[in-house]
Amino acid sequence: MMMEINRYIDHTVLKPTTTLEDVKKLCMECVEYDFAAACVPPLYVKLAKQFLGATNTKVATVIGFPFGYSAIEAKVAETVLAIVDGADELDLVINISAIKNNDWEYLEKEIANIMYIIREKKKVIKIIIESGILLEEEIVKCCQLYAKYGVDFMKTSTGYAERGATVEAVRLMRANLPANIQIKASGGIRTFVFAQELIAAGATRIGASASVNIVKESKDASAQ
C-alpha cells in the first residue's frame, strides 16, 4: 500500500512577497492535511515552528535560494541560522555557475563545509540542482558528487528556472543515485496526476504550493 499523497508533500511558500499571513495559512493547511513539511523563507522559520508545534509536519527552509551563487561562507551562515531558528530540513541550492564552469572542486568544497554542520546537528539536507537547466551529464555528475557526501535528498528544481520538475530528470537521478538517497521533485507540480507520475519515476517527496488541490484531486480519483 502506497502512503497517502499528503505525506509526500512539502507544502511550500517561497515567493519574494511572502507575508506573515501567508505563512500562517500554509502552516494551518499543513496541520489540517498532515503534510510532510512546511517549506518557508528563512525569515519565517521560527514562526512556522511555533505554528506547527508538536505536529508531524517538519519545518523546512531554503539556503542560497533561488540562484545558488552566494559565497560558501554565506551559505554556511544561512545554514547555521536556520538550524538555530529551528529548521528540521534544509533545501540548499548548489552553485549552478560552478557547474557551468566545470568547477567540481568548488562544489565539493561547498558541500563539505555544509555537510559537517548538517551531520553534527542531525538535520535533513536536500540538494537543489536545477535539473531543467543542466545537461544530462551534469545531472549524473551531481548525483555522483552528492552521493559521495551522503546527502538525504537530491531535489530537481527551485521553481524559479524556466523549467521545473520532469519525469525524465527524476528517472535519471534515480538511476544514478544509491537507494538510500531520496529524490524530491519540485517546480511546476500542480496536479495529482503529475505528482503520481513523478512518484512512479522515483520521487519520494513533492515540493508544491498547490498542495491542497493535489490532495483534493487524489481524493476525487480514489472515490471514482
Side-chain angles (χ1 to χ4, degrees), residues 9-14 23 26-27 30 36-46 48-49 52 57-63 82 86-91 124 126 155 184 205:
I9 294 174
D10 283 3
H11 191 25
T12 303
V13 61
L14 292 170
V23 173
L26 182 97
C27 291
C30 284
C39 191
V40 299
L43 174 67
Y44 296 113
V45 168
K46 271 186 186 166
K49 199 78 182 163
L52 291 167
T57 304
K58 302 291 186 196
V59 176
T61 193
V62 285
I63 307 294
D88 304 297
E89 304 183 353
L90 297 96
D91 293 29
V124 167
K126 307 183 199 114
K155 178 175 164 182
K184 176 176 170 180
R205 200 73 78 83

Side-chain angles (χ1 to χ4, degrees), residues 5-14 26 35-40 60 62 65 89 91 126 128 153-160 164-166 170 183-191 194-196 198-199 203-212 214:
I5 191 73
N6 58 304
R7 293 305 298 164
Y8 283 90
I9 294 174
D10 283 3
H11 191 25
T12 303
V13 61
L14 292 170
L26 182 97
F35 290 127
C39 191
V40 299
V62 285
F65 195 85
E89 304 183 353
D91 293 29
K126 307 183 199 114
I128 309 176
F153 285 81
M154 295 278 289
K155 178 175 164 182
T156 59
S157 337
T158 58
Y160 280 81
T166 63
V170 171
I183 295 169
K184 176 176 170 180
S186 68
I189 307 168
R190 295 184 186 89
T191 66
F194 189 31
Q196 265 189 318
L198 293 161
I199 291 164
T204 46
R205 200 73 78 83
I206 299 291
S209 52
S211 318
V212 174
I214 292 170

Side-chain angles (χ1 to χ4, degrees), residues 140-212:
V140 171
K141 270 183 121 167
C142 282
C143 289
Q144 290 164 346
L145 171 62
Y146 297 105
K148 188 172 120 182
Y149 280 88
V151 302
D152 300 291
F153 285 81
M154 295 278 289
K155 178 175 164 182
T156 59
S157 337
T158 58
Y160 280 81
E162 308 87 84
R163 199 161 173 230
T166 63
V167 168
E168 294 73 27
V170 171
R171 277 200 196 115
L172 182 65
M173 288 160 76
R174 189 65 280 158
N176 289 281
L177 284 169
N180 63 313
I181 294 179
Q182 300 183 67
I183 295 169
K184 176 176 170 180
S186 68
I189 307 168
R190 295 184 186 89
T191 66
F192 173 58
V193 170
F194 189 31
Q196 265 189 318
E197 286 171 3
L198 293 161
I199 291 164
T204 46
R205 200 73 78 83
I206 299 291
S209 52
S211 318
V212 174

Side-chain angles (χ1 to χ4, degrees), residues 62-73:
V62 285
I63 307 294
F65 195 85
F67 299 121
Y69 47 37
S70 43
I72 294 171
E73 294 84 351

